[in-house]
Amino acid sequence: MQCSIAKITLSLHLPNFKPFKMKLFLSSFAVLVALGVAQGASIPKNSIQLKNIEVLDGEGKYILGWEINEAGDEIVFEVEAETLGWVGFGISPQGGMTGADIFIGGVLSDGSTYAQDRFGIGRTEPKVDDHSDWRLLEAMELPSMGKTILKFSRLLDTCDDEDYLIGNDTNRLIWAMGDADIIRYHGTTRRGTKSTNLIHADLPELDLDTVQTWPMILDMEMPTVDTSYWCSFHRGPVLSAKHHVVGFNAVLPSAEALQHTHHSILYNCFLPAGSNETLEEVLGNYTVDKGHVGGDCYDPDTILPISYCIMGTFYVWAKGGKTLVFPEDAGYPIGDLPGQQFYMMEIHYDNPDMIEGLKFETGVEFYYTDELRPQEAGIMILGHEVDLSTTVPPNTPSYKDVGHCGSECTNMFPENGINVFNSLLHSHLSGRKMKARHFRGNVELPWLDYDDHYDFDYQQNKPLMTHVNVQRGDHITVECEYDSVWKNGEIVLGGLSTREEMCEDIVWYYPKINVELCTSGYDIDAHIREFGVTAYTETMTPMLRKYYIDAPENLQGDFFDSITYKFNWTEEFRTEYTNRRMYGIHTGACGIRDEVVHYDITYPESFIEYVPPNQCQA
Ligand SMILES: *[C@@H]1O[C@H](CO)[C@@H](O)[C@H](O)[C@H]1NC(C)=O
Ligand SMILES: *[C@@H]1O[C@H](CO)[C@@H](O)[C@H](O)[C@H]1NC(C)=O
Ligand SMILES: *[C@@H]1O[C@H](CO)[C@@H](O)[C@H](O)[C@H]1NC(C)=O
Ligand SMILES: *[C@@H]1O[C@H](CO)[C@@H](O)[C@H](O)[C@H]1NC(C)=O
């Protein structure tokens, strides 16, 4: 993802063309727009009356509707499922059966209804719960259509320690249906899982007829490497004056695009201050419409003009994400410099099976208007640096990494601070929980955002329920909890691959300021030496820096291999190590365009922790 915007330093070389035949860009415009919209999941015809609807099976055989009651304490569900047998629905802490809160119901052939509250205890028939939290409201069968419709409700917080608390973070839903009314978990069961936000701020409406759409698509063969970050250059609209971008979407027109595109980042390209060149001169020959597909973003010998764009993060989409629509009073300015606009797109292709010759289209689009909005929006990256100081110990179910944004950076905010309206929490496959904490002085305020059920496959540009005012001098800490058990004894390093880790909160806010990055990391040299290393070598690779341990002899070798297989992670070391990484002094980075200011930072001193209100104690 962002994946270390500030880290790429590249020199410019003369252009070097690879002739490439491109699909017609402009004539496929209309088709791409249609696909981009369709990507927001079309809902098949159904009878559900509730406000929110989602197709859980992807085919329309299991459709879920839901709505929160006016008092805000109860949620009503309605399921339309293609079966005359039992229908099951549940909410699960990790996406599996274990610990899931499950409701099963149906209609018998004599017309009578049944419903049960169950609790998942693994990949077996869930046991019947002692006390019932779910309430069956309605059940009916439509034999001619082969469908069952169930309406049922549950309190968001049942005040029972054993029940799942439905919060406004990711909810991992599980669903199942049987062919008969006898509940069996083998043979005829159809089932699946899908993540969503049951409680969410309403997406502001955007009428696509009132704005213009600009798609940027790359159509090429996916590189035959495990992880590649591919940079391509695109012409934006030609503008005679400033416009506002008011929304974004990913354009993933095929199953291949959906599967292998792990993130895309759009960057705005600028000329350095005082330049006597034009963007056309420096970028014009590299654009996709001129037949140039771009190249590896991290190739140190690149000839691509990446340096003009890399500081202009504009839009981040990550796997599972949906449309991003700005609040009605905010827009991101483009065309400050009138004329032809240029953008760079970074695509993270994930190809762990090293598939060869797979060609598909992937990209993003933005929606823009000449009706300027009162507020100008900006994007900022918070969290931990993407580097080696993220080292998750082996076989650890829960390890916490933190990244600070301190007052040294927020002091540059405007007098009335900034207002955050959207948040994208980002970590990779080991990420389990994330939280962006907000401090003013030594008092912790409500979290900016959190996710106790982080799902790598469901990353959202989440509109915040209340816009958060971050003032001058405030402090924000992003905390990420990782689980390395699935790596079978291996450590997990910070890095760009999905099997390595990141810890970021990418936020949209207004009014726009020049600060684009506010992160921190533990000092790399101190980090390496704490493992008892006395000598090491650092080399630049196309991706990130690599470290090789030279001494002592018993740890000699590549850092990852040695610290995984040769280093003795004793309990005592783990405890001290974990504490130091979390509470020790970090080096903060405050990034303003092409300049990064460094400072020392840790948590605010003896702060008063924020405790979310608990209705149950009342
Ligand atoms: C642009 O500026 C560079 C130095 O910054 C100078 O060498 C070059 O001649 C200038 N080009 C033009 C067309 O003025
Ligand atoms: C771009 O390509 C054209 C045609 O090949 C060439 O004349 C021009 O010098 C190139 N521009 C740059 C900046 O390399
Ligand atoms: C979740 O809800 C809490 C209060 O209920 C609120 O403070 C927080 O901003 C919400 N989170 C998001 C992402 O909207
Ligand atoms: C690791 O250290 C512990 C505690 O000092 C010791 O008991 C154990 O044998 C060591 N393991 C290895 C593989 O050296």
Side-chain angles (χ1 to χ4, degrees), residues 565-572:
Y565 300 111
K566 298 179 181 169
F567 183 74
N568 188 351
W569 285 88
T570 61
E571 276 314 312
E572 196 189 351

Side-chain angles (χ1 to χ4, degrees), residues 168 446-450 462-466:
N168 61 359
W447 309 319
L448 201 70
D449 193 10
Y450 79 99
K462 235 191 302 178
L464 296 182
M465 288 172 131
T466 42

